[in-house]
């Protein structure tokens, strides 16, 4: 990963990723303590780590055992730099192992909530209760700390549940201070950061906005910037931030592919065109997209057509508007980390409407690439974007096309739009919108018999899909209250012509996916 920050906070902490599922969470928690932190792979060369000038280094947990052949190790020089280090779970075992302590291969596995006994006067635990509940998940354990270290906490099964060498500012905890099940855990991080790394907590959303605005202005100079605005929170925040930095040098293109939700094009235009007074080029390409989708029922073909057509429309518009130097994109930190460390299996061809043509030869401007989603929402609020947009649930690039099973027609789009509006409206009224990752309607291609006002009907069903998810890779169906479901069902069958039945999707992901196509 290249060091390419639009804003460059002075106070940084590096989290080295040894493969734990919680590594990103550690990074987020550190930022919650107002210290900017970055996640790097454990094998990042030391010089690169040092180029960040970290005030502290955190070693994450991981699934390995220090005794496994080829187990990931830390560069031993890391412990000699005079930079404070905190090892968490595997990170602590590694520190113990590499510095001459004794690690036992796991026979007494500890998993879940565990009682922790803290030694009197223990560093990192200042002011905390000596008996605490922490969250454990480990096989191996530290039997003896390395020379120079003292044991500062233990549990029934872990004689060394936390250890410290205060003089060298090296620390290890066997439990996970970053997870919600260790509610006081953030205090441990705070004491490490403020008490031993010398951090002052300079990383705030306001400071990010100020620095990022200056950074964008510096980088762009007198250049021109193009941005594909989808109306989602990432592209909207990107556009608003760049606009704050360089004003009219940014032009946004908003392509309406005809697959958007009810009133969406109008709202996006009202926000950017009228409220922000941005150079916004609105392209209604509905006819083109629908013509190309005629007769198409295969989900992957739909995605491909929409992706291709989008690029075509965008290129045409961009070339009509003259020369641009930069393309602004709403890339976020998890995308940067993930593409740098993992290869996700291809399940559906996701095309991001922001992911635009390489051949256009733009330089990329990605002012949000250091941020997590919740931080982007905070930036959006700071920039004055309306809360409806700030809290908008994600919407797939191919839009409603992948929620209409079978052929996409104007009539079916209209049916789905109305039903979808009702689902979201009722969920918002019930105060549940922000708790759900996604809530929407799907139009199914089968018909069933019904009766309305003594008349037999033979019409289509709407399926309600609502899920919770922390990581998008897995999701659970939301337990919506019966009263909310009842209102959704009544309103859809009464207000949406052509629908006589409402069903509920109770599948989790896996084995299902969130979208139906
Ligand atoms: P699935 O259906 O794969 O969806 O469980 C996970 C998340 O990804 C969104 N999604 C897409 N987003 N382009 C996008 O930008 C796409 O083609 C696409 N397909 C799915 C989906 O809405 C959910 O948030």
């Amino acid at each position: 990963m290249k060091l390419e920050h639009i804003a460059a906070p002075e106070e940084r902490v590096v989290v080295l990723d040894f493969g734990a599922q919680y590594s990103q969470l550690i990074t987020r928690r550190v930022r919650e303590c107002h210290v900017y932190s970055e996640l790097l792979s454990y094998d990042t060369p030391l010089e690169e780590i040092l180029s960040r000038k970290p005030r502290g280094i955190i070693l994450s947990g991981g699934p390995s055992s220090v005794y496994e052949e080829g187990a990931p190790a830390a560069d031993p020089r890391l412990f000699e730099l005079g930079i404070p280090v905190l090892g968490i779970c595997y990170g602590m075992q590694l520190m113990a192992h590499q510095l001459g302590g004794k690690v036992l291969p796991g026979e007494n596995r500890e998993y879940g909530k565990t009682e922790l006994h803290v030694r009197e006067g223990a560093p990192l635990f200042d002011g905390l209760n000596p008996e605490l509940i922490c969250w454990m998940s480990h096989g191996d354990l530290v039997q003896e700390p390395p020379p120079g270290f003292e044991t500062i906490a233990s549990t029934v099964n872990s004689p060394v549940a936390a250890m410290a060498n205060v003089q060298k500012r090296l620390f290890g905890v066997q439990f996970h201070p970053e997870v919600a099940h260790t509610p006081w855990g953030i205090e441990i991080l705070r004491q490490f950061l403020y008490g031993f790394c010398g951090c002052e907590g300079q990383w705030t959303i306001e400071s990010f906005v100020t620095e990022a605005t200056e950074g964008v202005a510096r980088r762009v100079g007198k250049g021109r910037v193009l941005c594909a605005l989808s109306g989602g929170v990432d592209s909207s925040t990107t556009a608003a931030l760049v606009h704050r930095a360089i004003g009219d040098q940014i032009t946004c293109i908003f392509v309406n592919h005809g697959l958007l939700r009810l009133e969406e094009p109008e709202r996006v235009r009202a926000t950017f065109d009228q409220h922000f007074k941005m150079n916004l080029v609105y392209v209604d390409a509905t006819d083109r997209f629908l013509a190309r989708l005629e007769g198409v029922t295969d989900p992957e073909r739909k995605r491909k057509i929409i992706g291709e057509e989008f690029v075509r429309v965008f290129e045409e518009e961009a070339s009509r508007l003259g020369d641009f130097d930069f393309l602004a994109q709403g890339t976020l930190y998890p995308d940067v980390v993930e593409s740098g460390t993992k290869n996700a299996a291809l399940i559906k061809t996701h095309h991001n409407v922001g992911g635009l043509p390489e051949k256009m030869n733009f330089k990329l401007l990605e002012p949000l690439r250091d941020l997590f989603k919740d931080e982007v929402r905070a930036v959006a609020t700071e920039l004055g974007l309306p809360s409806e947009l700030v809290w908008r649930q994600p919407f797939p690039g191919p839009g409603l096309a992948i929620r209409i099973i079978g052929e996409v027609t104007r009539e079916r789009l209209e049916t789905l739009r109305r039903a979808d509006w009702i689902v979201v409206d009722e969920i918002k009224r019930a105060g549940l919108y922000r708790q759900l990752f996604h809530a929407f309607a799907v139009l199914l291609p089968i018909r069933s018999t019904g009766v309305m006002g003594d008349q037999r009907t033979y019409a289509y069903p709407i399926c309600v899909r609502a899920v919770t998810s922390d990581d998008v890779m897995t999701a659970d169906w939301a337990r919506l209250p019966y009263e909310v479901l009842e209102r959704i069902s009544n309103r859809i069958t009464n207000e949406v012509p052509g629908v006589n039945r409402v069903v509920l999707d109770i599948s989790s992901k896996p084995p299902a996916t969130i979208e139906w196509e």
Side-chain angles (χ1 to χ4, degrees):
M1 239 181 291
K2 279 209 303 267
L3 182 63
E4 198 184 292
H5 301 282
I6 279 289
E10 289 261 306
E11 268 183 13
R12 298 157 185 267
V13 161
V14 164
V15 179
L16 290 184
D17 183 5
F18 287 89
Q21 74 198 104
Y22 303 118
S23 304
Q24 283 200 23
L25 196 53
I26 302 173
T27 316
R28 283 172 58 175
R29 291 283 180 258
V30 173
R31 293 189 189 186
E32 279 171 31
C33 298
H34 300 299
V35 175
Y36 180 71
S37 83
E38 276 186 89
L39 184 65
L40 300 180
S41 177
Y42 73 92
D43 53 3
T44 305
L46 191 65
E47 300 66 44
E48 213 180 309
I49 297 175
L50 291 179
S51 73
R52 263 81 173 170
K53 300 196 176 70
R55 297 273 173 98
I57 296 172
I58 298 181
L59 313 179
S60 85
S64 315
S65 159
V66 291
Y67 291 113
E68 265 167 38
E69 205 178 314
D75 187 320
R77 290 173 295 171
L78 212 66
F79 304 112
E80 303 297 335
L81 298 167
I83 299 175
V85 182
L86 171 67
I88 295 177
C89 196
Y90 179 75
M92 155 155 154
Q93 293 158 11
L94 200 62
M95 187 189 276
H97 184 64
Q98 291 190 222
L99 295 179
K102 199 163 157 196
V103 179
L104 281 191
E107 267 142 36
N108 293 322
R109 301 180 79 82
E110 268 182 316
Y111 189 84
K113 287 185 178 175
T114 312
E115 207 171 306
L116 185 78
H117 309 284
V118 182
R119 301 278 159 89
E120 212 183 313
L124 298 185
F125 290 86
D126 196 24
L128 290 173
N129 198 319
E131 307 291 322
L132 290 161
I133 297 297
C134 66
W135 202 79
M136 290 281 199
S137 171
H138 65 105
D140 293 359
L141 57 83
V142 177
Q143 172 82 2
E144 265 174 40
F149 279 73
E150 56 172 331
T151 299
I152 54 174
S154 54
T155 70
V156 172
N157 287 320
S158 294
V160 189
M163 62 183 198
N165 181 336
V166 175
Q167 207 194 347
K168 292 198 161 172
R169 296 187 295 173
L170 303 177
F171 305 88
V173 291
Q174 182 57 71
F175 56 88
H176 288 271
E178 70 279 18
V179 302
H181 303 292
T182 306
W184 45 272
I186 194 146
E187 188 51 35
I188 297 278
L189 295 176
R190 202 173 283 132
Q191 293 196 19
F192 173 67
L193 299 168
Y194 287 71
F196 295 98
C197 302
C199 294
E200 290 171 8
Q202 297 169 354
W203 165 256
T204 61
I205 290 304
E206 298 76 27
S207 70
F208 171 83
V209 170
T210 309
E211 285 183 29
T213 308
E214 288 165 5
V216 168
R218 232 184 354 259
R219 172 125 195 263
V220 174
K222 294 199 178 334
R224 288 183 77 203
V225 180
L226 192 61
C227 176
L229 188 69
S230 71
V233 62
D234 305 342
S235 71
S236 298
T237 311
T238 303
L241 183 69
V242 176
H243 182 250
R244 179 178 279 202
I246 58 166
D248 279 351
Q249 286 163 262
I250 181 173
T251 301
C252 292
I253 300 181
F254 173 40
V255 178
N256 177 1
H257 51 20
L259 309 164
L260 298 171
R261 290 165 293 188
L262 199 67
E263 292 183 7
E264 205 161 8
E266 295 78 12
R267 284 172 189 234
V268 174
R269 293 176 75 186
T271 301
F272 289 92
D273 218 2
Q274 293 156 25
H275 179 65
F276 277 98
K277 306 213 178 327
M278 227 181 259
N279 283 332
L280 178 72
V281 178
Y282 171 69
V283 191
D284 185 352
T286 306
D287 293 345
R288 281 175 71 157
F289 279 87
L290 293 192
R292 286 209 56 201
L293 286 169
E294 209 176 299
V296 178
T297 55
D298 178 66
E300 287 297 288
R301 268 221 41 76
K302 281 185 193 172
R303 281 168 191 276
K304 198 153 184 291
I305 289 171
I306 296 165
E308 279 170 11
E309 197 60 24
F310 187 88
V311 170
R312 217 169 282 168
V313 174
F314 189 85
E315 279 179 336
E316 283 172 21
E317 282 306 313
S319 65
R320 205 176 55 75
L321 292 166
D323 290 333
F324 289 90
D325 310 286
F326 293 88
L327 182 71
Q329 282 195 336
T331 312
L332 303 196
Y333 196 54
D335 311 327
V336 177
V337 175
E338 242 130 66
S339 56
T341 55
K342 288 178 212 147
N343 287 318
L346 181 78
I347 297 171
K348 298 175 186 176
T349 46
H350 283 207
H351 85 91
N352 256 326
V353 160
L356 280 164
E358 280 167 30
K359 64 174 184 202
M360 290 177 93
N361 269 334
F362 289 122
K363 283 177 265 183
L364 281 185
L365 188 64
E366 298 176 311
L368 308 180
R369 61 180 281 132
D370 294 332
L371 302 188
F372 289 106
K373 191 82 177 191
D374 44 354
E375 294 170 329
V376 172
R377 291 197 209 279
V379 170
T381 307
E382 174 73 15
L383 291 169
L385 287 166
S387 78
E388 174 199 286
L389 197 154
V390 173
W391 290 99
R392 207 184 83 141
Q393 290 177 356
F395 187 60
L400 299 179
I402 57 169
R403 297 176 182 170
I404 291 177
I405 314 307
E407 192 185 355
V408 179
T409 63
R410 278 175 209 274
E411 195 191 345
R412 302 188 77 205
L413 273 166
E414 194 49 35
T415 305
L416 181 60
R417 242 176 225 133
R418 287 174 168 221
D420 185 72
W421 176 272
I422 293 171
V423 171
V424 174
D425 187 44
E426 286 301 332
I427 282 173
K428 281 184 176 165
R429 278 172 200 246
L432 299 171
Y433 185 74
R434 289 194 196 176
Q435 295 166 36
L436 300 174
F437 180 71
H438 249 319
F440 55 87
V442 182
L443 178 60
L444 306 183
I446 48 162
R447 283 194 289 174
S448 71
T449 304
V451 57
M452 266 176 138
D454 297 333
Q455 293 277 326
R456 176 186 183 275
T457 58
Y458 190 52
Y460 294 99
I462 281 288
C463 173
V464 176
R465 180 73 164 142
V467 298
T468 54
S469 172
D470 289 328
D471 59 3
V472 193
M473 299 308 291
T474 59
D476 195 10
W477 59 279
R479 274 54 169 179
L480 293 177
Y482 282 168
E483 310 76 62
V484 176
L485 290 171
E486 184 182 18
R487 278 196 298 276
I488 289 175
S489 165
N490 283 345
R491 279 189 62 191
I492 290 179
T493 45
N494 279 311
E495 295 174 29
V496 184
V499 176
N500 65 351
R501 195 177 287 272
V502 176
V503 298
L504 178 66
D505 184 346
I506 52 167
S507 328
S508 58
K509 170 183 179 177
T513 49
I514 296 174
E515 303 286 350
W516 270 51
E517 290 196 334

